[in-house]
């Protein structure tokens, strides 16, 4: 059974000017997301600047998200690391903190072999009862989970249940779904490929776009699941210019900037991430306006 079906938000971590986590604003953002149809909260992922959170902050953010969500939708915690031992620790702590599942990115920098990936994920799966979503994003980690590897893991580890596929390689995604034959759920990890991957059997998306457009992102998936492929496709295509600008610099620089433009108190980025270049920021602002997002000084209004 899928951890969730629909649109999960890879939620930002709002911060005060001094760089500490703004839990009051996190609660407000989570409530807004759920009220606008988001089907899952993914906390402490790439968009949440997990790589610059301390382990204490990481745990606190997960506990806070679980508390704020209060059972309304699943909470998936990012618990990956390039050290297997650390990934085990983070995942076990997330289980104690009440997460419903773990999203575990491939170990970065080490450039593990496929055999190493199997050992890495198997060791984590052995130490937790949480459902595990593999996170395949070779553009950031330098390592690709080959289709055969993902399926081997799903067939040998009962709690490895899904993959967030963000390689951009549709052919490999198709091969993975063919080999899986139903043993592995897929979520699009790229907002511009929601409909293409759902056509191959994906059950939803873990989305950056959903931070700024939760209802629209939810509807892309919901329309497809309802069988209205044409409406889903139209919503997908309409969002493409904004999606492109949300990645005109490395994530989460643009999306956090966009949240501030919308009136959220998203706060600054933690170094080594820096503020957006002015030309990129202006392009993002233009795309948001053209998409129908209302930029405000306080509060948030999303036009549909």
């Amino acid at each position: 059974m899928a951890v969730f079906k629909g649109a999960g938000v890879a939620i930002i971590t709002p911060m005060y000017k001094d760089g500490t986590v703004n839990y009051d604003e996190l609660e407000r953002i989570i409530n807004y997301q759920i009220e606008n149809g988001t089907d899952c909260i993914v906390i402490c992922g790439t968009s949440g600047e997990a790589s610059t959170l301390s382990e204490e902050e990481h745990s606190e953010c997960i506990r806070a998200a679980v508390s704020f969500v209060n059972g309304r939708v699943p909470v998936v915690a990012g618990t990956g690391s390039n050290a297997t031992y650390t990934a085990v620790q983070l995942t076990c702590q997330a289980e104690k903190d009440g997460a419903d599942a773990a999203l575990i990115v491939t170990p970065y920098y080490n450039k593990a072999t496929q055999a190493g990936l199997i050992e890495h994920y198997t060791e984590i799966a052995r130490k937790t009862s949480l459902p595990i979503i593999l996170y395949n994003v070779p553009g950031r980690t330098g390592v690709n989970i080959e289709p055969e590897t993902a399926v081997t893991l799903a067939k040998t580890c009962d709690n490895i249940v899904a993959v967030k596929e963000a390689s951009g390689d549709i052919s490999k995604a198709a091969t993975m779904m063919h080999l899986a034959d139903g043993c592995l759920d897929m979520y699009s990890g790229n907002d511009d490929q929601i409909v293409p991957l759902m056509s191959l059997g994906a059950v939803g998306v873990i989305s950056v776009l959903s931070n700024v457009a939760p209802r629209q992102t939810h509807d892309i998936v919901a329309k497809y699941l309802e069988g209205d492929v044409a409406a889903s496709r139209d919503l997908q295509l309409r969002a493409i210019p904004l999606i492109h600008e949300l990645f005109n610099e490395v994530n989460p620089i643009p999306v956090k900037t966009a949240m501030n433009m919308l009136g959220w108190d998203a706060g600054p980025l933690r170094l080594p991430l820096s503020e957006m270049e002015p030309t990129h920021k202006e392009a993002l602002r233009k795309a948001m306006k053209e998409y129908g997002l209302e930029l405000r000084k306080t509060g948030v209004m999303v036009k549909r």
Side-chain angles (χ1 to χ4, degrees), residues 20-287:
T20 57
V21 177
N22 185 341
Y23 292 102
D24 290 337
E25 193 69 351
L26 179 61
E27 181 177 19
R28 197 163 78 95
I29 293 170
I30 286 174
N31 286 335
Y32 179 78
Q33 286 288 323
I34 296 173
E35 289 163 6
N36 281 274
T38 293
D39 301 289
C40 176
I41 302 297
V42 181
I43 189 78
C44 294
T46 305
S47 302
E49 299 178 78
S51 60
T52 55
L53 295 176
S54 68
E55 289 189 19
E56 182 179 7
E57 288 173 320
H58 190 274
S59 181
E60 288 173 354
C61 283
I62 294 167
R63 286 199 305 271
V66 169
S67 175
F68 300 152
V69 169
N70 194 27
R72 290 175 288 174
V73 297
V75 175
V76 174
T79 60
S81 172
N82 66 330
T84 303
Y85 177 78
T86 303
V88 167
Q89 283 187 310
L90 292 173
T91 305
C92 291
Q93 186 61 51
E95 184 171 8
K96 292 177 184 176
D97 292 333
D100 296 294
L103 175 67
I104 303 181
V105 72
T106 52
Y108 38 87
Y109 187 76
N110 310 60
K111 301 191 76 170
T113 64
Q114 297 301 301
L117 291 178
I118 289 172
E119 290 192 37
H120 173 77
Y121 281 111
T122 300
E123 178 66 12
I124 299 167
R126 286 180 54 247
K127 297 295 178 64
T128 182
S129 63
L130 284 180
I132 291 173
I133 303 172
L134 309 174
Y135 183 10
N136 189 35
V137 58
R140 293 194 79 119
T141 67
V143 178
N144 187 68
I145 303 176
E146 294 296 334
E148 296 81 2
T149 299
V151 172
T152 294
L153 285 165
K155 288 183 175 180
T156 57
C157 302
D158 290 342
N159 57 335
I160 293 181
V161 299
V163 59
K164 176 184 176 182
E165 177 51 49
S167 70
D169 190 329
I170 297 292
S171 295
K172 285 200 173 181
T175 299
M176 188 181 298
M177 294 303 282
H178 163 70
L179 294 174
D181 194 26
C183 76
L184 189 70
D185 289 320
M186 181 177 287
Y187 299 100
S188 175
N190 293 324
D191 284 312
D192 60 353
Q193 293 184 348
I194 302 171
V195 171
L197 288 185
M198 291 194 73
S199 75
L200 297 174
V203 295
V205 62
I206 295 177
S207 170
V208 173
L209 174 66
S210 188
N211 280 279
V212 299
R215 176 60 63 181
Q216 294 92 325
T217 310
H218 166 85
D219 287 350
I220 292 171
V221 180
K223 292 292 184 184
Y224 197 101
L225 293 175
E226 292 165 5
D228 193 347
V229 175
S232 176
R233 180 195 62 225
D234 290 347
L235 290 169
Q236 169 81 93
L237 293 176
R238 180 173 176 264
I240 292 297
L242 175 57
I243 293 167
H244 287 170
E245 297 306 330
L246 283 170
F247 290 89
N248 67 16
E249 291 189 20
V250 68
N251 180 48
I253 294 174
V255 70
K256 204 165 189 184
T257 302
M259 291 291 278
N260 281 318
M261 289 179 183
L262 288 171
W264 297 105
D265 191 9
L269 295 137
R270 283 189 177 176
L271 289 171
L273 297 184
S274 57
E275 296 304 311
M276 286 189 81
E277 295 293 332
T279 54
H280 293 161
K281 189 172 184 179
E282 186 53 37
L284 174 61
R285 185 187 302 276
K286 180 181 177 182

